[in-house]
Every structure is written in C-alpha cells, then in structure tokens.
Amino acid sequence: AKEFMTGNWTTWARRFSKIYQTPDAFREATSVFDGIKRREPKRRTDVEHKTPLPPQNLRMYKQTWWAIQGIFAPLSQQGFCVVPCMDFSGSHVLMESCPASVLKRLELYTEPYKGKTAKHGRRRRVILDRLKRGVPIGRNSKSLLSVQMADPKLLPALVADSGADALDAVLAALGAACSISREDFPAPEDGKMLDIYK
C-alpha cells in the first residue's frame, strides 16, 4: 500500500489542501504510474475490509479530496472526532463508511444491484428486505440493527433508483450505526487500529 499521510492526522488534514492543491494533484501524488497507466495502491484498511476501490481511484479521488479538504479537516478543527484517525474523544464523530464492505460482510455482494434491469431491482429489494430483518453489528455479534423506513414511499424509491446511490447511503449509514454500536468502537470490527490513510 502507498502511504500519503505523515505525522499527526489533524495537522495533516489541516494542511491537506496545501499539500494537494487540487483533486488531480492528490491523485497524481498518491497513485503510481507504471509506464502504461496509473494504478491506485490500496491502503491496508482497503485490503482488510475489502473495499472495491481505494480513495484515490479515478472514480473516487474527487470525493476523497473534497471530503478531507471540505468536511473532515474543517470539522476536526471544530471539535468533531474523525475516527479512527484521531484519538476518540466521545465528541461528535465523523467516519468513513463503505457500502460494498457492508454488503460483503453480510454476504450480499454476490450479484450486481446497480443497474436498470428488473433483475437489478429485485436484487435491491433482496438487500432491503435483509436490512429490514436486521443485521449483526459485527461478524460474530448476536446484537442486530435493522433499517425501518418511516415513510412508506422510501422503499419503492430505493428499489427504483437504478444507480443505487440512495441504497448506498442507507448501507453507509447502517455501517456507521453498526460501528458505533460495538463495545470496542472506534476500533474496526477486527480490532486492528490501522492508520486509515496508509
């Protein structure tokens, strides 16, 4: 994995937009050109938690840059705790959450759910039905969290969203809720406190 963070996370995040002045500068500095194309090495946490894409991937790097520069860094200066990057203080918490990792943990990442076909829509419904029944807060936990829709119009809207951005938001929120519900929070489920940006 390629390291692109050095020193204290809060200081690094505050200086992030000076180090990487644009999203493209961030991607250029944190990926590797192998003579043919640019590769994006995964962080250890990406490998261990099975994220499909690293944060500097062509499809992700702009989101990553704006999240660090525009959200994580400013809010960490205002008392928010970005876990597990910062020492957990019990204050307001920000964290990274990966919908694909949630689906992989639940063994629901076996068939595509993003797309316009009826089969994709059925897959989104299967995922939502599982979330409504409840999912363990960790691999070996007996404690369950379930997703309940307060508005009956939400379920058909989530199934109809062919890009599945809405479902991904639900999965990310569920992943975050599972994390904060575990006794060892903010440690990841496996207990390994990796530097999230290595």
Side-chain angles (χ1 to χ4, degrees), residues 98-109:
C98 177
S101 294
V102 173
L103 288 174
K104 287 177 181 183
R105 182 171 68 80
L106 300 174
E107 298 179 354
L108 292 171
Y109 198 71

Side-chain angles (χ1 to χ4, degrees), residues 129-184:
D129 287 345
R130 173 68 191 279
L131 302 184
K132 286 189 334 187
R133 288 195 315 268
V135 300
I137 63 170
R139 283 185 192 103
N140 301 317
S141 177
K142 297 198 184 323
S143 298
L144 300 178
L145 286 180
S146 64
V147 175
Q148 304 299 321
M149 304 295 164
D151 183 341
K153 296 176 191 161
L154 284 176
L155 185 61
L158 287 163
V159 172
D161 176 24
S162 63
D165 292 327
L167 178 54
D168 280 349
V170 171
L171 289 165
L174 178 64
C178 286
S179 292
I180 64 171
S181 298
R182 291 194 310 265
E183 288 180 18
D184 58 354

Side-chain angles (χ1 to χ4, degrees), residues 95-129:
M95 69 182 80
E96 180 179 356
S97 184
C98 177
S101 294
V102 173
L103 288 174
K104 287 177 181 183
R105 182 171 68 80
L106 300 174
E107 298 179 354
L108 292 171
Y109 198 71
T110 55
E111 297 175 38
Y113 64 100
K114 295 183 179 199
K116 297 180 180 181
T117 69
K119 186 175 181 180
H120 292 120
R122 286 192 299 273
R123 188 61 184 166
R124 290 189 291 275
R125 183 171 291 284
V126 165
I127 291 168
L128 287 161
D129 287 345

